[in-house]
Amino acid sequence: MEVERKNGEEKYAADIFSIKEAQARISSFIHKTPVFTSESLDALSGRRLYFKCELYQKGGAFKFRGACNAVFSLNDNQAAKGVITHSSGNHAAALALAAKLRGIPAYIIIPKNAPKCKVENVVRYGGQIIGCEPNMQSRESTAAKVLEETGAVLLHPYNDGRIISGQGTISLELLEQAPQIDTIIAPISGGGLISGVALAAKFINPAIRILAAEPKGANDAAQSKAAGKIITLPETNTVADGLRAFLGDLTWPIVRDFVDDVITVEDNEIIEAMKLCYEILKVAVEPSGAIGLAAVLSNGFKKNQAFKDCSHIGIILSGGNVDLGPLWESFESKDDD
């Protein structure tokens, strides 16, 4: 789904045309998510913040946009045998739901250590779960086996132009809802979200700044930007389970050319941002979804003169699929006292 840029420069996997096509294709299926503001968080950050609440998207995360666009882009012959993916969470649920809406099977390869709440979402939407070991080799080999058995279409969680285009519809909405935004901060992992967001936002406003937020324990994107090539890590270590993937060959060129900087934060900063989202915004956000707020509140952002002109900041709260079991258990234990 590559579209050549008019100036003859490098082709990217998506562009404003494919993103607008995605918006037309999925608009009747998705939620147009709200934008929240908070004077308390504005005061804490010293900026005006606009929270794009993708945790209110169907499936509880932004991933439904891309999955829906990909599933409804398939022709009837392609779709008939179903779709398959390997994912530890939100893309799995999103694809299962999109497939359910189209009336086709979804085969979901899920690592055995995936969060319980995310696995339950896949079951809720009728996806057929196939377990695998928690490493990329097992995920890909299991997917290849199921692919051979079923003839289903493999839809990658992020390294796919249709997925990137679907995620880009966030920017179309956000900059219509809050056109004064001069900076957007989004989480980065495989790069599907921020690639779509950056392509659409930079078309609407070429001067807008696009910043990625990344855990220090999974800082491959920051290293990649610094090195000018894709860097992968031998292991990742972060509470943000949705941010442990590495950039793909389709997302990397967009991240390289359209993302202005990567801000890395510690896990304790992510957890504090989650707490603020719960206590002030009154939204249940997962660690990956809270990282944009963590970035804005970090010393690395506040003290960096390069960001002093970032005054109206859009923050994408990317998802809210967090296992709240320990929270409910804590209330129950208090009742027992």
Side-chain angles (χ1 to χ4, degrees), residues 26-293:
I26 69 178
S27 61
S28 63
F29 299 104
I30 65 169
H31 293 318
K32 183 176 182 179
T33 53
V35 173
F36 285 3
T37 58
S38 165
E39 291 183 4
S40 297
L41 292 176
D42 287 353
L44 202 57
S45 66
R47 329 270 174 148
R48 293 296 305 275
L49 306 180
Y50 306 83
F51 296 92
K52 180 62 168 163
C53 294
E54 283 297 294
L55 69 170
Y56 293 137
Q57 190 51 260
K58 289 181 181 177
F62 75 93
K63 291 279 192 178
F64 182 67
R65 294 174 183 268
C68 192
N69 187 50
V71 166
F72 283 91
S73 294
L74 299 174
N75 64 41
D76 289 343
N77 288 336
Q78 291 172 317
K81 292 181 178 179
V83 289
I84 181 173
T85 197
H86 53 82
S87 167
S88 60
N90 289 333
H91 176 70
L95 191 65
L97 177 56
K100 181 180 180 181
L101 290 173
R102 185 148 185 193
I104 61 175
Y107 306 97
I108 313 294
I109 316 301
I110 298 186
K112 294 173 182 175
N113 65 345
K116 183 182 177 185
C117 64
K118 296 186 178 182
V119 176
E120 288 173 348
N121 279 347
V122 176
V123 174
R124 186 177 298 122
Y125 299 136
Q128 299 182 39
I129 293 177
I130 300 99
C132 71
E133 295 304 315
N135 60 67
M136 190 56 70
Q137 183 179 355
S138 177
R139 282 164 63 149
E140 291 180 345
S141 62
T142 306
K145 183 170 180 282
V146 177
L147 200 63
E148 188 177 341
E149 292 171 354
T150 63
V153 177
L154 178 65
L155 292 177
H156 195 276
Y158 53 85
N159 204 43
D160 184 304
R162 297 162 295 190
I163 298 291
I164 294 168
S165 297
Q167 320 309 23
T169 61
I170 293 172
S171 284
L172 301 184
E173 288 180 12
L174 177 58
L175 294 178
E176 180 185 82
Q177 293 164 310
Q180 65 273 39
I181 285 173
D182 55 47
T183 306
I184 296 177
I185 300 183
I188 191 166
S189 181
L193 169 61
I194 203 163
S195 291
V197 164
L199 287 168
K202 293 271 189 181
F203 179 86
I204 295 167
N205 175 11
I208 201 167
R209 187 169 292 183
I210 305 296
L211 303 176
E214 184 174 48
K216 286 187 177 174
N219 67 344
D220 59 288
Q223 291 190 36
S224 298
K225 285 285 281 184
K229 62 181 181 180
I230 295 179
I231 301 292
T232 58
L233 307 175
E235 62 179 5
T236 57
N237 182 19
T238 176
V239 68
D241 63 276
L243 302 181
R244 296 172 183 160
F246 303 131
L247 295 166
D249 63 341
L250 298 183
T251 56
W252 162 243
I254 303 169
V255 170
R256 180 193 64 207
D257 297 347
F258 292 91
V259 174
D260 295 294
D261 210 341
V262 181
I263 302 161
T264 57
V265 295
E266 301 283 1
D267 273 10
N268 65 310
E269 295 175 290
I270 296 173
I271 294 166
E272 179 61 25
M274 284 179 71
K275 186 180 174 188
L276 291 170
C277 287
Y278 276 66
E279 294 179 349
I280 297 176
L281 288 181
K282 310 302 181 189
V283 296
V285 63
E286 64 187 88
S288 306
I291 196 171
L293 176 59

